[in-house]
């Protein structure tokens, strides 16, 4: 079987309401959806999401990248994923969203060709995956109301965005803990909003509210600062924007700069690179979370949840993007009930045009 053609379409979906993080405000998802066709009439689907505040990938660049990568892999057998991976990396530097779009579609194809759901193809450690729900930055009272609503909808873990004002950040955590009670897990994401000293100071104050972890407290490039925070706070520290790909995680491991790694397909360029990150982290004794961009749809979420379910070392999920979208671009894929993601027991990603 050979890859015969690649179609790219552009999709823009408004979010239900603007989502605020310390880096800025996100109001719409802009996605390049890809369909890879084979000479035997089987198609695979993938997506590349533009995440301006995190990766800097813009939609036009993703679409152009997919076209360039597509030309490099036409004629290849989709089963030869190692060949596809190296063809992509030798053809185009960076542009991880374009690579993720192709990588996801090729994995969808492999699932269909081998008649296996993607979570089984990738390891099959579990057949479901648990996600948190993220509360964007708002007034502390509003965030507490949203957090309580999420718990009532069945979420056992809440992720709280902070990083704008040190005083209000403490108030946010305090109010949310009061609203959700003691049994709900709370994780905190500063999206690079503090410097190392501020982070140590504020984490010392919020630790009393039983925080599961703090994500990316300091700027992405400040690995020394990240390592300093990790060594000097009692709460586990997760690296997100500091880790795009496998070589980044190697630096984190060498410096012991974080306790946990947040893997995202749109940062690393797809499932194959994500597996490498997880393997390195696992060997180093670091667990991983599978996260997403706020701009992803059910295509990226199903792919990510499939990998999260498949791997023992991926112990946490932050795959809530579809809750914030006003519509979905394609039917099928993962079905989410409360915080539980049920993966389709059909070949590939289970998406339907
Ligand atoms: Mg994050």
């Amino acid at each position: 079987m050979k890859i015969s053609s690649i179609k790219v379409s552009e999709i823009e979906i408004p979010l239900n309401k603007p989502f605020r993080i310390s880096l800025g405000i996100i109001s719409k998802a802009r996605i390049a959806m890809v369909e890879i066709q084979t000479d035997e009439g089987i198609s695979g689907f993938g997506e590349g999401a533009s995440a301006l505040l995190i990766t800097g990938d813009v939609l036009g660049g993703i679409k152009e990248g997919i076209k360039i990568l597509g030309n490099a892999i036409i004629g290849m057998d989709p089963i030869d994923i190692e060949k596809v991976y190296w063809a992509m990396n030798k053809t185009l530097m960076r542009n991880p969203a374009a690579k993720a779009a192709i990588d996801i579609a090729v994995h969808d194809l492999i699932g269909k060709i081998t008649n296996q759901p993607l979570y089984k193809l990738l390891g099959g450690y579990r057949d479901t995956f648990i996600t948190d729900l993220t509360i964007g930055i708002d007034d502390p009272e509003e965030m507490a109301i949203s957090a309580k609503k999420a718990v009532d909808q069945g979420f056992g873990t809440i992720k709280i965005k902070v990083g704008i004002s040190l005083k209000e950040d403490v108030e946010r955590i305090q109010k949310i803990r009061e609203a959700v009670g003691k049994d709900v897990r709370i994780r905190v994401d500063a999206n690079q909003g503090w410097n190392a000293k501020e982070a140590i100071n504020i984490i010392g104050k919020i630790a009393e509210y039983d925080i599961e972890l703090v994500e990316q407290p300091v700027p992405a490039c400040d690995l020394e600062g990240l390592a300093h925070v990790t060594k000097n706070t009692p709460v586990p520290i997760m690296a997100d924007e500091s880790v795009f790909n496998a070589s980044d995680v190697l630096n984190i491991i060498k410096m012991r700069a974080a306790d946990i790694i947040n893997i995202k397909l749109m940062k690393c360029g797809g499932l194959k690179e994500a597996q490498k990150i997880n393997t390195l982290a696992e060997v180093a004794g670091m667990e991983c979370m599978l996260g997403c961009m706020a701009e992803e749809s059910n295509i990226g979420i199903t792919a990510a949840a499939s990998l999260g379910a498949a791997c023992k070392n991926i112990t946490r999920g932050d795959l809530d993007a579809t809750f914030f979208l006003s519509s979905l671009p394609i039917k099928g894929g993962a079905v989410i009930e409360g915080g539980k993601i049920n993966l389709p027991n059909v070949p590939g990603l289970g998406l339907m045009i």
Side-chain angles (χ1 to χ4, degrees):
M1 188 181 298
K2 286 187 168 53
I3 293 170
S4 55
S5 66
I6 292 168
K7 287 202 298 193
V8 192
S9 54
E10 186 178 323
I11 298 165
E12 186 171 307
I13 308 170
L15 268 56
N16 291 321
K17 66 172 197 173
F19 183 71
R20 188 175 184 203
I21 65 175
S22 73
L23 299 165
I25 296 172
I26 302 158
S27 56
K28 60 189 170 194
R30 301 189 77 203
I31 295 161
M33 186 168 131
V34 60
E35 178 181 354
I36 299 185
Q37 296 163 327
T38 64
D39 58 354
E40 295 186 21
I42 304 173
S43 285
F45 297 98
E47 76 174 1
S50 169
L52 302 185
L53 302 175
I54 308 290
T55 60
D57 277 342
V58 297
L59 189 59
I62 298 170
K63 282 172 64 186
E64 191 61 28
I66 289 169
K67 283 182 199 160
I68 292 164
L69 296 170
N71 286 333
I73 64 163
I74 281 184
M76 288 184 178
D77 185 336
I79 293 280
D80 300 338
I81 183 73
E82 179 83 1
K83 218 182 212 176
V84 170
Y85 172 86
W86 281 109
M88 289 206 289
N89 284 321
K90 279 162 67 177
T91 303
L92 185 65
M93 273 296 285
R94 307 196 189 278
N95 212 328
K99 289 174 186 164
I102 302 252
D103 167 280
I104 293 168
V106 170
H107 278 91
D108 187 25
L109 273 173
I110 298 172
K112 287 171 179 168
I113 295 163
T114 59
N115 209 25
Q116 294 294 330
L118 190 55
Y119 77 89
K120 283 185 81 70
L121 195 68
L122 296 172
Y125 190 71
R126 317 171 192 93
D127 60 3
T128 59
F129 195 54
I130 303 297
T131 180
D132 60 27
L133 190 75
T134 306
I135 311 295
I137 296 177
D138 204 334
D139 294 332
E141 290 80 10
E142 285 298 321
M143 289 176 75
I145 291 167
S146 300
K148 177 71 170 63
K149 206 182 280 175
V151 172
D152 292 342
Q153 286 168 0
F155 289 90
T157 306
I158 303 298
K159 175 163 143 176
I160 305 168
K161 292 289 192 182
V162 295
I164 295 253
S165 127
L166 295 177
K167 188 170 167 289
E168 277 201 350
D169 283 344
V170 176
E171 199 185 334
R172 287 185 172 96
I173 312 292
Q174 179 202 345
K175 288 230 157 40
I176 289 170
R177 174 54 79 199
E178 282 167 14
V180 300
K182 64 177 175 39
D183 294 332
V184 172
R185 263 191 305 276
I186 294 179
R187 51 188 68 144
V188 173
D189 188 357
N191 284 108
Q192 316 176 51
W194 306 319
N195 65 37
K197 282 195 175 173
E198 287 169 343
I200 290 167
N201 178 16
I202 195 165
I203 294 169
K205 289 183 176 141
I206 62 174
E208 68 171 292
Y209 301 109
D210 190 16
I211 303 303
E212 182 203 20
L213 60 90
V214 174
E215 191 174 330
Q216 198 64 47
V218 299
C221 59
D222 184 12
L223 294 191
E224 287 83 3
L226 190 63
H228 185 66
V229 176
T230 299
K231 286 184 182 77
N232 289 286
T233 51
V235 178
I237 301 297
M238 176 185 283
D240 181 3
E241 289 97 316
S242 291
V243 176
F244 270 49
N245 52 35
S247 69
D248 293 337
V249 88
L250 200 53
N251 285 331
I252 296 275
I253 291 166
K254 283 179 190 163
M255 295 175 65
R256 303 309 293 187
D259 302 295
I260 310 167
I261 305 298
N262 189 352
I263 303 173
K264 292 178 182 167
L265 301 183
M266 297 301 144
K267 284 189 303 182
C268 71
L271 294 157
K272 187 149 172 76
E273 186 76 14
Q275 287 171 307
K276 294 188 183 197
I277 297 173
N278 180 53
T279 301
L280 283 167
E282 185 173 34
V283 173
M286 291 179 184
E287 293 180 0
C288 292
M289 179 159 94
L290 215 319
C292 63
M293 299 300 172
E295 297 90 339
E296 282 180 57
S297 82
N298 53 331
I299 304 171
I301 294 299
T302 303
S306 298
L307 181 64
C311 299
K312 178 176 178 289
N313 192 57
I314 300 178
T315 51
R316 297 166 176 85
D318 174 29
L319 297 175
D320 54 359
T322 54
F323 287 94
F324 307 118
L325 293 182
S326 54
S327 65
L328 296 176
I330 192 167
K331 289 198 180 86
V335 176
I336 312 183
E337 296 168 326
K340 189 174 169 198
I341 305 178
N342 296 299
L343 292 158
N345 256 316
V346 295
L349 291 166
L351 298 162
M352 296 164 280
I353 283 286

